[in-house]
Amino acid sequence: AEELPLELVGVRALAALRRVLTGEGLAPRLLASTTKLRFGECIIRDASLPYTQTLSLTNSDSAPLAFQLDAAALAGGPFSIDTLAATLPARGSVTLNVSCIPRAAGQCLVHVPIYISDPEAGDANAPTVRTDRAYLTLTLGAKAATPRLVYDRPEVVLPTVPLGMQARAAFYVINEGYDNLQIDYRLPADTVRMPLQLRFPEGRLVGYSRKKLLLLVTFAAKKPMSFTAKIELLDMEGNRFPINVTATADNSLLTLQPYLSLKAGQITISAEEGKPPTLVDEEETARAASLASTPSKKKDDKGGAHLGGADDEVLPLAKAALEPAMLAEESLSAVAAETARSAQMMMAYISAAIVKLSGGEHGFPAPLLHPRAKPLVDLVALLSGKNLSMPQPPADRKNLRALTHHLHALLESVLNFLRSQGALLGGVRPDHLMPLEDFMRYAEERLRTPAAEGSVSAQRKGLPRRQRKALELEHRTVHAQAWLALLVQLLRTLVMNRITMRTFAGLPGFPDSAASALAADASLLGSNLYSTPEQLIIKWVEFHWKNALPQSAKRIVDVDTDLRDGHAFAAVLVSHCPFLLTAPPTTMLDGEKAMPDAMPLSPDKNDLGTSLATLYPQPCDEAGCLANLHLVLDALATIGAPFSTVSPQQLHAANAREKLLFALHLFQTLPHFVPKTTVELNGGLHAPVTKSIELSNPSRKPIMYSVKLEGAECFRIEATSVRLEPQQTVAFRVAALARFTGVAHGRVIFLSTGDGLSTANASTLVFLLRADISLGSPLEKAVCEAKLYSPTPVVIDVTNPFDEACSPRIKIVEIRPPFETSSPANEKPVGVPRGRGSKQQQQQQQQQAREAVAAAVSMLGSETLEEVTRKLPSAVYCAASMLSLEPKGTAPLTLQFLPFQMGEYVCTIIFSDERVGEFSIELRATSTLPSPLETLRFSTQVSTSQSKDVALAFRNPQLERARSAVLDRSLREKERMLALWGKEPLVKGPLTLSLASSSPFFAVPSTVDLVETKSSGNSTASRRASTSNNTAPSTAVATPKDGKSANSAPPNANKLDVRFVPKASGIYSGQLLLSSPLDVRVYELHGTGNAPNTKASLEFTTPARQPVVQELPVVNGMDVDWTVSASLKGEGFSGPPSIKVAPKTTATYPLQFTADWVCQREGELTLHNNTTGDKYVYALKAVAEEPLAEGHLVLQCAARQPQALSFKVHNVSASGDACALTVDSDLLHVSGAPTIDVPARGKGQLARREERTYELTVNPQLGGIVHGSITFSAP
């Protein structure tokens, strides 16, 4: 017993709702083996051949039991039962035979009640059946159908074959219900587009004795085609029984790869010279020969359908037709693995060359299918450049049935579009492309019977389990293969077929001559294995193979075997990117020869390349092939064009189609790596050099580039990515900042990172970079100065510009001054007295000095200028060969500057550390005139002259001391210079020296020749007849230039006449310069021009109390300061005690006279030049007249109106003591005090003057202008 749990919602339990259920379980009395008999589909046939099933009834009582079936329920129906009533003993049973004889087509369902006896009524041995209530109900069901022909498979798919080859498939037709039937058939009417043939090897008669019949369908085409057509079998009444046949023929490797895999080992590729590769099926050839030798069979009126017994050539097909249509689990797994590998290669190509797809972790074909096949639609639109017309999605996005139908329609639209573009997709159905859930949902709707359409329970229950398993197996078998076939045809029609001869016109890396030869190649046409675009790609690979690796190049006939070792792929890479060919490894395999070392691209540590020079030579075993393919894939990754998700093992195991896809990827990628141009970045060390690369985006989508910089470390880029908006132009800057001198190489690669959808998938751009780096501007500059022939130490502070410690080697590059700079033309005259040397005269002297030097260069003696110059040592010398510097640290560097020429030396000190870098410091060292050898002193009266003879030595003592200092630098320097110099002088005689005086008041000859004598080494000097304009004429004595007559030297040998001619009194200073290109001597000149004393007179006239100043000019024409002292006598005269007069200027001495009252004075002024000793005396006479009025006042007043007028008065007495001034006036009508007291006057010119105010009253009586004066007189 059970209580029903009844309660009202929200109300507590009520006792009135409590109900108790009581039940009793009874044992069954009559047991049936089944209560439902399903006859399934029954063909309408002769009544003598009924469909029969059995049913068992068992009495489970301990007493006899009677049963009875309701015969009325069976009346008029197709069903009959042999026993309708019987009595069963205790525990007894009976078997009933149920027959079905259908008479009309359709569904038939009958419910037959079974009645049994009542145990409580009647005789137990003769029970009576109660018919008022059925104990059991027997359900009988069948589906009647007319006679028909069925097939052993739902469709026939012929294998894909090359053009000109025959595809065959055998299948069975099964007789269901025909007693005797001669089968007729109907082929597609369009035999050009659908050239199918049907053969009946076992005849066309079916009946009771032949339940199934073998059929053979064949197909051959001369041009690419793919279709699905119906072949119909007909009975005598014209009923049709169709079956779909799919056939494909092509001359493209992309399409024929399944055929190659199916016929592996049975086919060969024939390729004669000058002819295209041709696929030959040896088995087919032998069969055709056998058929040709056999008498032809009888043909029917349809042509080509053989009649009669079975042929020997169809026996294998008949055996294959008996095999199940679905593959076994082992074969299915093998096919799935092969499809997965091919799909991975296909997706790798699409991601690398076309568009990046996400969702690869979910397996193939999820990246193209989700969501709702949108990636596929976008991919087709991208490749075709067209917007596809797609069905509108359903309004109710939650209606799964509507979504399924939309997906089916969308996929069908894509397939139709591709077929219109030439895709061979006859065997691909839209539902095979759908995911499993949508496929099952679509299949359920397609297979559901019309009766079940309106049944909710049938829709809820779905398909039987066995049918669902079959559908799942079908989807598992064809889903991935259908998608693979779709992608293959997508690439064949929208990518591969666009490669034509025009593609090779101007193709980077493919010269015009090769393109012309390719256009004339007859082997491009006529192949039944490779299409023309595929042949072009193969020829492209062959060309670069011969160009880069000619030792291993050959004609590519079999893509699978000829490309397996990786040599061809590596050659294509090297031909487009030569930098990938770098040095081979140090260890080689046994028996393998090492290739010559390849030169690295740059001295930087990041050398480019992946060592493609280390390819294992042919023939290669599997390990060698894998190693080569590993290098190829690494090289692609190095240049930024990886073939992602593919390993060397997968590429080695790839079939011919997949290797062709890899070659297609190289064809689409590598030409873009041929540099567009070379960007020159020439400059100096540590100085950034920048140039811009102009990038343009002509497309309607943005372009994203990932920028990759390779090569020397000196190159820089401003960013690692750049985005170009539609129709935008961007200037991308590339810079070079070098640490080392020399030529550096590199490249900048712009790799498109677009996904092909939101951003455009642009071509790769490559630009070569070349930087010719010189020293450029030095990091620091230093200057120094030294006298000729005088060694001078120079200390330079060197700062490390790098962030790491370095120990650079030191190298000095010296640029000597030209010999013309040794001219004294740039030397200013030291002293010209009183400014009497004009500028024009100085320019004339400088020009004469230049001419003298030029003449001296032409008279070097027996040696040329170059020979003598070669003997000159380095003026700047560094004892240290290396310097240690801390990061950004500073260290002193000591140099020696010892000049042997006049002028400016430009020295570049180069610091070079092979590990860290280089830098330089510029030192500008100026050599001035050497110290004077001697001072020549002269003293004479003005307008007279004085001469001196100067003894000259052949060897310059200062030059000889400088040579000794050079030998003392180091032992190595000493050995090197002694080898050049020997014991002879630096310049062999005779030696010509040009003479120049810095002062025009010292006269010298223009040149002098010195000849070294054999005995003493003294020189003989001779003056040339031509002298400067300001020199006094003298007699010249000539000496032979070759110096042979040593004993014939004149008595005045080694003497030079120097004459001093002063034009005015004063001290004259100058220098005498004796110069040749390699011998410069200086003598100091000092002369005094004495003049007689001079006396003059000066007169002064001025009013009293008004000072007067007379400025006396003093002109200094010399190059030294003058100090002039003054001695002054006389009352009222004043002036400074001394004045300074700068060189080449005029100064004035201010002489002043002032008198307090009318007087006459006399005095004397003496000016003494302390520098020259001159003395000038001036007699002074001064007259002081009446003083002038102190002021002029104007008073505006009215007549007869008194007005006050004030005056400021001061002490004007001679003594300056306090006094009373008397007031006088010649004006009328004025009044005032007769006197005014004034205080004492201060002493000195700077004393303050005390003033008093005097007030005068003016009272004019008449109008008009009145003039007068007021005088204040001291006592």
Side-chain angles (χ1 to χ4, degrees), residues 1180-1225:
L1180 307 177
K1181 183 178 180 181
V1183 176
E1185 298 178 344
E1186 289 289 337
L1188 300 176
E1190 294 291 332
H1192 182 75
L1193 299 178
V1194 177
L1195 179 64
Q1196 297 288 339
C1197 61
R1200 294 185 294 276
Q1201 290 185 4
Q1203 188 171 349
L1205 182 63
S1206 298
F1207 299 94
K1208 295 291 185 180
V1209 297
H1210 57 274
N1211 192 339
V1212 295
S1213 63
S1215 61
D1217 296 335
C1219 63
L1221 300 179
T1222 303
V1223 183
D1224 296 317
S1225 176

Side-chain angles (χ1 to χ4, degrees), residues 85 91 103 127 155 168 273 319 435 701 771 922 937 1092 1195 1204 1223 1244 1249:
R91 310 300 180 185
R103 298 180 182 87
E155 62 180 351
R168 296 170 298 155
E273 188 65 29
K319 188 182 292 185
K701 294 181 180 180
E922 181 183 272
R937 298 185 179 276
L1195 179 64
V1223 183
R1249 187 173 65 178

Side-chain angles (χ1 to χ4, degrees), residues 776-797:
S777 301
L779 290 184
E780 299 179 15
K781 293 184 179 181
V783 296
C784 69
E785 186 177 286
K787 293 184 177 181
L788 196 65
Y789 310 131
S790 298
T792 303
V794 179
V795 179
I796 299 176
D797 289 333

